[in-house]
Amino acid sequence: MELFDIQSPCQRVCETDKRGYCCKCYRSREERFNWLTFSDAQKRRILYLCKLRMLRRGYLQKQKKQQSNQVAMQIDLNF
């Protein structure tokens, strides 16, 4: 039994990425608009998915950075 409502992860910066997820809280449009109608179980599931999205974005950004560093190193070696 929950004693308190599950709070929205909203950070009041509504910017979406090219996949439609908020860049700050990682929720989809549907998840943001319907937050108040979801059950606690649904909210917990959404928060879990948001964490996965956040981790994935961090991983992908790291990969991009590594690739650009490798390209820069190859360019330096060619000169």
Side-chain angles (χ1 to χ4, degrees), residues 3-75:
L3 296 177
F4 301 102
D5 288 335
I6 298 175
Q7 295 296 312
S8 166
C10 182
Q11 297 181 20
R12 310 280 190 267
V13 180
C14 294
E15 294 179 27
T16 56
D17 62 14
K18 62 184 175 185
R19 299 181 107 196
Y21 295 111
C22 177
C23 294
K24 291 293 183 177
C25 72
Y26 303 99
R27 291 182 295 166
S28 69
R29 179 184 173 106
E30 178 188 343
E31 292 165 347
R32 292 189 316 268
F33 288 172
N34 297 312
W35 183 260
L36 296 176
T37 65
F38 291 135
S39 69
D40 285 350
Q42 289 171 310
K43 289 177 182 179
R44 280 191 294 276
R45 175 76 176 152
I46 291 167
L47 292 174
Y48 172 76
L49 292 172
C50 290
K51 180 151 185 147
L52 292 178
R53 293 170 189 149
M54 178 188 68
L55 293 171
R56 179 174 167 80
R57 179 179 287 160
Y59 173 77
L60 293 175
Q61 287 175 343
K62 236 184 222 183
Q63 269 191 326
K64 273 182 153 178
K65 188 174 182 178
Q66 287 175 346
Q67 288 173 350
S68 66
N69 287 343
Q70 288 173 348
V71 169
M73 285 175 47
Q74 287 175 347
I75 291 171

